[in-house]
């Protein structure tokens, strides 16, 4: 969840600097989830996300149960983006005394059941503003897929169409809370795919992240972490979404990953929606193009990109 | 952290009911930390606490670094209260754009280093109100010590003097932020003791919790979970604190535990501050007395107790 764009990224880097690095191969701040040794030596994934009413969600357009769902979905997505499986959730709620906790908890527990990832603890306290924080643990069956492993020549893939959540938000603003079209549902209840993350690993993915802040922003973080550039061709635009929404809309929670040119990617996704190749990593990290045009001059996502 | 007393407890129980129980021996919502199977079968402890500026801390009386420290300390205390060791922290901050993040992070990282429990991830987002949520993982070297294991006849012990944090807050309100007396430091930078939790287990503790909301409130939760009553004698009052502060002041983060009558408790705490026996568990759960007087009629802690 990124409400403050590049500023947030810089501040997180500051925390990373103050906190100091972990000893490799453990991974701390800066990827979708941390990778640490758990009890008895297994790898443990850890992530947390915060949702603030009025900042990440307009409660005149979505209900509290959907807000709870989204808080869980954002965390599940962070684990999926490492190639892991979510296992347990901690939920903390700070909110005004008149918050409809039953409704909020229902959305949280709906999501927890969907991903078989039980809520095992948390905290509740009063606050003038509703702030929901979810932390998640996850397991890995193999090495974590980091943002930093992409190499020049790798193909760039996404695991689903983009822009649906942003299109849904636009629809909700036009039609109001009652909107029932598919993008509205995608906005209210995004469905990150743990299976897609596992398939990406199966396909030999060299790097991966989730589209939480928008494709260009998130792929940009991946490219920066990997020290590569990228050239994009056509990106799959969700039904009802615009190209701009597909490029810069956040909260789609599809995965973007890279894999070597010869990898049998489609075969690894048998039984799941087919991933779509959208581009190629290049050696020059300053190259970031869409259909040949430099990205900084295309479309309306500069507010997130800069 | 409990800003809403009994109301909070009821709402957490509601979440527990909606979420459903874990399969024993896993422990979900309702104890200081959850106890779940980690990767490769080891026991993993999980807890989270939220601190809200203006609710849990008056920023005219304490600085942001102290607030960060306290957010970590509350979590470390939850792990200590299970007889575990904290291992990793996730930190999420939702706050106004002008928040002094460097100062806040410094307090968080000071505490993380004190308990050798690194910050490995988190989130940062804008919010009209500063809300800090810390989640913690921990390991167990033996069975977890729950709130529910106390039996009639068990002695009741605390691992340190009580009321110092409340006395410190009173002092800060009188003297202002510059107050340097010991209780002010105890309020600003509470120091939960992981070693005390381990020693309590060594001593054969049958139940344990931490004093986060006040002795009477927290011991009450333990007694309710265990189905016992309790009779208290003298409680150790911190230097500069009142009896009322010792009984009802929160955030002391000492541990209160029960142990069988014959247990060699002092021996297990060799090298640490000696624990103090303050009372005895009794079979009748309706009995809760202090020096013979029923607790509901004593002193000024009814606002938390009811």
């Amino acid at each position: 969840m990124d409400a403050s764009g590049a500023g947030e990224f810089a501040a997180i880097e500051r925390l990373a600097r103050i906190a100091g690095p972990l000893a490799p191969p453990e991974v701390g701040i800066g990827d979708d989830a941390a990778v640490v040794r758990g009890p008895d030596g297994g790898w443990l994934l850890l992530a947390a996300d915060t949702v603030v009413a009025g900042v990440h969600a307009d409660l005149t357009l979505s209900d509290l149960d959907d807000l709870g769902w989204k808080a869980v979905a954002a965390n599940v997505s962070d684990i999926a983006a490492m190639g892991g499986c979510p296992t347990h959730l901690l939920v903390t709620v700070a909110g005004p005394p008149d918050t409809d906790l039953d409704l909020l908890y229902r959305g949280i527990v709906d999501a927890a059941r969907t991903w078989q990832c039980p809520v095992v603890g948390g905290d509740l306290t009063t606050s003038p503003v509703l702030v929901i924080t979810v932390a998640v643990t996850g397991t890995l069956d193999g090495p974590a897929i980091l943002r930093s492993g992409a190499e020049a020549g790798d193909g760039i893939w996404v695991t689903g169409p983009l822009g649906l959540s942003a299109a849904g938000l636009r629809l909700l603003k036009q039609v109001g809370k009652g909107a029932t079209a598919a993008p509205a549902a995608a906005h209210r209840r995004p469905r990150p795919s743990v299976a897609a993350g596992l398939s990406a690993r199966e396909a030999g993915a060299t790097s991966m992240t989730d589209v939480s802040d928008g494709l260009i922003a998130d792929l940009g973080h991946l490219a920066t972490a990997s020290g590569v550039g990228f050239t994009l061709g056509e990106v799959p635009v969700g039904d009802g979404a615009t190209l701009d929404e597909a490029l810069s809309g956040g909260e789609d929670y599809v995965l973007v990953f890279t894999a070597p040119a010869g990898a049998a990617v489609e075969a690894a996704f048998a039984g799941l929606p087919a991933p779509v190749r959208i581009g190629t990593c290049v050696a020059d990290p300053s190259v970031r193009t869409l259909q040949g045009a430099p990205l900084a001059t295309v479309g309306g996502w500069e507010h997130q990109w800069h």
Side-chain angles (χ1 to χ4, degrees), chain A:
Chain A
M1 306 307 261
D2 185 345
S4 48
E8 186 230 23
F9 214 67
I12 291 273
E13 277 179 354
R14 220 149 71 216
L15 173 57
R17 217 165 41 239
I18 297 172
L22 295 184
E26 289 194 318
V27 176
I29 295 162
D31 217 302
D32 294 293
V35 187
V36 301
R37 285 280 179 208
D40 297 348
W43 290 111
L44 182 67
L45 297 172
L46 298 173
D49 271 295
T50 294
V51 175
V52 182
V55 175
H56 298 98
D58 180 343
L59 285 178
T60 62
L61 299 179
S62 60
D63 290 317
L64 273 180
D65 54 343
D66 294 331
L67 192 60
W69 173 286
K70 281 171 81 166
V72 172
N75 279 275
V76 167
S77 183
D78 282 333
I79 298 297
M82 306 298 285
C85 289
T87 44
H88 297 99
L89 298 168
L90 294 169
V91 172
T92 73
V93 177
D98 63 351
T99 304
D100 185 347
L101 287 174
D102 281 341
L103 187 61
L104 174 63
Y105 286 162
R106 210 138 53 216
I108 288 169
V109 171
D110 277 357
R113 290 198 179 128
T114 297
W115 286 287
Q116 296 176 295
C117 181
V119 177
V120 298
D123 194 16
L124 175 71
T125 185
T126 53
S127 160
V129 177
L130 179 62
V131 178
I132 304 162
T133 300
V134 176
V136 64
T137 59
T139 52
L140 273 174
D141 187 22
I145 304 173
L146 307 183
R147 292 180 182 170
S148 55
E151 296 194 13
D154 284 354
I156 301 171
W157 301 75
V158 291
T159 61
L162 295 160
L164 280 172
S165 178
L169 180 58
R170 172 169 46 80
L171 211 68
L172 285 163
K173 282 180 179 163
Q174 287 164 356
V175 181
K177 225 183 212 180
T180 55
H187 178 75
R188 278 198 286 247
R189 300 230 165 180
R191 301 186 74 91
S193 172
V194 172
L198 299 177
S199 294
R201 194 228 307 284
E202 181 78 20
T206 51
S207 72
M208 183 153 60
T209 192
D210 67 333
V211 179
S212 53
D213 298 335
L215 175 68
I216 300 305
D218 292 309
L219 179 58
H221 296 156
L222 183 150
T224 300
S226 295
V228 298
F230 57 82
T231 59
L232 299 182
E234 212 165 311
V235 305
V237 180
D239 280 348
T242 66
L243 175 62
D244 189 58
E245 285 164 347
L247 293 171
S248 70
E251 299 189 2
D252 278 325
Y253 299 120
V254 305
L255 300 173
V256 53
F257 67 93
T258 57
V265 173
E266 283 95 343
F269 278 75
L272 292 179
V276 178
R277 179 161 174 183
I278 59 168
T280 304
C281 296
V282 299
D284 181 347
S286 71
V287 173
R288 296 182 175 189
T289 63
L290 176 70
Q291 299 188 326
L295 266 170
T297 64
V298 182
W301 53 86
E302 287 85 351
H303 60 286
Q304 285 195 314
W305 183 236
H306 291 296

